[in-house]
Amino acid sequence: MIDATLPDKYEEFISQLDYEAIFYKAIEILGKFGDIKSAKDGEIVVTGTQYTTENLHFFLDNIVRRCGQTPRTEWADMIKSHFSNFTNNPSKDRYIWKDYDYARQFLRVQVRPELPMPVANKNDLFYRQDFPGTYSVLVLDYDNKLQYFKRPLVKEWNKTDEELFEDALDNVAAEKMYSSEISWNDAYDINTFANPSYAASYLIELERNAPQAVGRFGAIVAIPLRTFTIAHPLESIKSYDFIGHFKPMVLEYLKQDDIPVSEKFYWYYKGSYEKINDHIKDGKMFISMPEKLYHLMNKSEDEDD
């Protein structure tokens, strides 16, 4: 089935006409590699290649967003370059779906604001929710490309979801991370993390990867972008005030990337995250405190007394 209807998730990036240009150019390029089995909802499935009997799945998410920020005259070369690494390395594709010992090195976790395919097909993906309201999705990172993959494609790996996420997060932990510890406004100690793809994923295991960012009551974390994140050690009720002061900065960061992750702050405590809700009323920001954190701080105050 070939359906060039613009998926809802792309509407903020490109028009229907622009999507058709990208869509059919991708089909033209991938059609030289094999037979187009289907193309819809931002996914192209190729079969009948000379290298494998498996269906190969190609997603348009990244190239759509890149084209949306690039002059149209450059699209053809950009699309060709985008898919060339996949189609020019069939031997890698052949082994990656069959040999987990080989594939494991490429596994990563990417934190996204939404899934890269329609909700109806979401169970085909490997994903979980570490930061409430976002999705942690398994990807393969090789040849400078991120590739999502479906469960039927990797059935020969014979691995559980837990095993795959464990290995993927091990690889994320080993990524080169540009981090720093600074005093913001001479009042709050914050840790910043930057990486081209995995700054948000790096904080899934905050205590493992950045123990200095965890305080007595955990940490306040912001993940505005996949490429840049912030963590503030939570030591006292005064530390919680950091959210109101730093919220405008987070909103500014959201404008710096074509795929922002979240405008929310999160409370990290002993391996898990809880979303911190806030709202504006009469020009003032009101920030809620997770019930568990409220009780922890009250208990601490009673013990100190």
Side-chain angles (χ1 to χ4, degrees), residues 187-200:
Y188 302 101
D189 294 328
I190 65 173
N191 295 259
T192 64
F193 306 89
N195 175 276
S197 300
Y198 305 112

Side-chain angles (χ1 to χ4, degrees), residues 111 131 134 200 203 221-225 228-230 261-262 264 266:
V111 178
F131 301 95
T134 72
L203 300 196
V221 169
I223 53 168
L225 310 175
F228 181 76
T229 53
I230 304 145
V261 178
S262 177
K264 296 296 184 181
Y266 298 87

Side-chain angles (χ1 to χ4, degrees), residues 129-260:
Q129 293 185 290
D130 294 290
F131 301 95
T134 72
Y135 297 90
S136 302
V137 186
L138 286 182
V139 299
L140 289 173
D141 185 342
Y142 66 99
D143 288 334
N144 298 314
K145 306 289 182 183
L146 297 182
Q147 183 173 0
Y148 305 101
F149 54 92
K150 294 184 177 181
R151 292 177 182 274
L153 201 59
V154 299
K155 59 185 178 182
E156 293 187 40
W157 286 358
N158 196 29
K159 295 292 181 179
T160 65
D161 288 29
E162 290 75 16
E163 290 172 322
L164 294 176
F165 271 97
E166 181 179 351
D167 286 341
L169 288 171
D170 282 346
N171 291 336
V172 169
E175 284 281 329
K176 174 65 176 177
M177 195 66 51
Y178 298 93
S179 60
S180 63
E181 298 179 52
I182 61 175
S183 178
W184 187 68
N185 283 354
D186 294 323
Y188 302 101
D189 294 328
I190 65 173
N191 295 259
T192 64
F193 306 89
N195 175 276
S197 300
Y198 305 112
S201 309
Y202 192 74
L203 300 196
I204 291 174
E205 297 186 320
L206 181 61
E207 206 146 9
R208 170 194 185 182
N209 295 329
Q212 76 281 1
V214 181
R216 181 182 181 185
F217 299 106
I220 300 298
V221 169
I223 53 168
L225 310 175
R226 294 178 303 182
T227 56
F228 181 76
T229 53
I230 304 145
H232 170 55
L234 188 53
E235 301 287 1
S236 66
I237 187 65
K238 183 179 182 298
S239 298
Y240 201 74
D241 294 340
F242 165 76
I243 299 172
H245 292 293
F246 207 79
K247 179 74 173 188
M249 294 289 292
V250 169
L251 295 177
E252 285 299 312
Y253 285 127
L254 291 174
K255 303 174 184 177
Q256 298 179 16
D257 198 300
D258 57 337
I259 314 179

Side-chain angles (χ1 to χ4, degrees), residues 39-68:
K40 60 179 181 177
D41 297 323
E43 177 187 8
I44 299 175
V45 180
V46 180
T47 188
T49 73
Q50 60 178 304
Y51 308 104
T52 177
T53 58
E54 302 284 347
N55 292 334
L56 300 180
H57 299 256
F58 299 89
F59 296 93
L60 301 180
D61 289 49
N62 289 335
I63 192 61
V64 162
R65 290 176 170 87
R66 288 175 60 196
C67 286

